[in-house]
Amino acid sequence: MAEKKEKGVSCPVETTLAVMAGRWKILIIHQLVDGPKRFNQLQRELGAITHRTLTQQLREMEEDGLVIRTDYSEIPPRVDYTLSPRGMTLKPILIAMEEWAYQHGGYVKK
């Protein structure tokens, strides 16, 4: 049986896309750029995201060092999510994407 080779990254852009992959991570980062938010606040502002998906995305982002989860060990439970310094380095990318959308978004078929 042939051995499977692990596919390597052929372009640095792939690394960035891997970290920001999916519909929700970019939107979560966009929400957290303005400061810390609680879980329910994030879920309300994101709209159609499920509790399970938001939890999964936040855990992955925490593992990647993009998000910091702060548990205040209070009753009722209070947990805040904020972008880490590494997560904040993605802000210029989001700004560039937003500017591109304003300039060229009207030409894109949806």
Side-chain angles (χ1 to χ4, degrees):
M1 190 175 216
E3 213 178 289
K4 283 188 179 180
K5 289 185 180 180
E6 190 172 319
K7 184 178 177 185
V9 176
S10 62
C11 171
V13 173
E14 279 187 90
T15 303
T16 306
L17 289 174
V19 170
M20 297 174 69
R23 172 182 178 192
W24 296 110
K25 287 183 182 177
I26 292 172
L27 297 175
I28 292 167
I29 293 167
H30 187 261
Q31 290 297 321
L32 293 177
V33 162
D34 296 330
K37 297 209 173 154
R38 294 176 73 173
F39 185 91
N40 287 335
Q41 183 181 8
L42 272 173
Q43 191 172 20
R44 274 192 308 273
E45 291 176 2
L46 292 170
I49 193 168
T50 65
H51 185 278
R52 180 179 179 202
T53 300
L54 181 55
T55 299
Q56 178 183 2
Q57 296 295 290
L58 287 168
R59 283 184 184 151
E60 289 176 13
M61 293 170 73
E62 189 176 6
E63 289 172 9
D64 289 337
L66 301 177
V67 170
I68 298 169
R69 179 183 187 272
T70 306
D71 185 346
Y72 293 94
S73 299
E74 297 176 348
I75 296 181
R78 180 168 68 117
V79 177
D80 286 340
Y81 293 91
T82 188
L83 285 180
S84 68
R86 177 182 288 162
M88 285 300 285
T89 64
L90 295 170
K91 184 177 179 178
I93 295 170
L94 291 179
I95 291 170
M97 290 170 70
E98 186 175 50
E99 289 172 0
W100 187 91
Y102 284 131
Q103 293 174 10
H104 307 286
Y107 300 105
V108 177
K109 292 182 181 179
K110 294 180 183 177

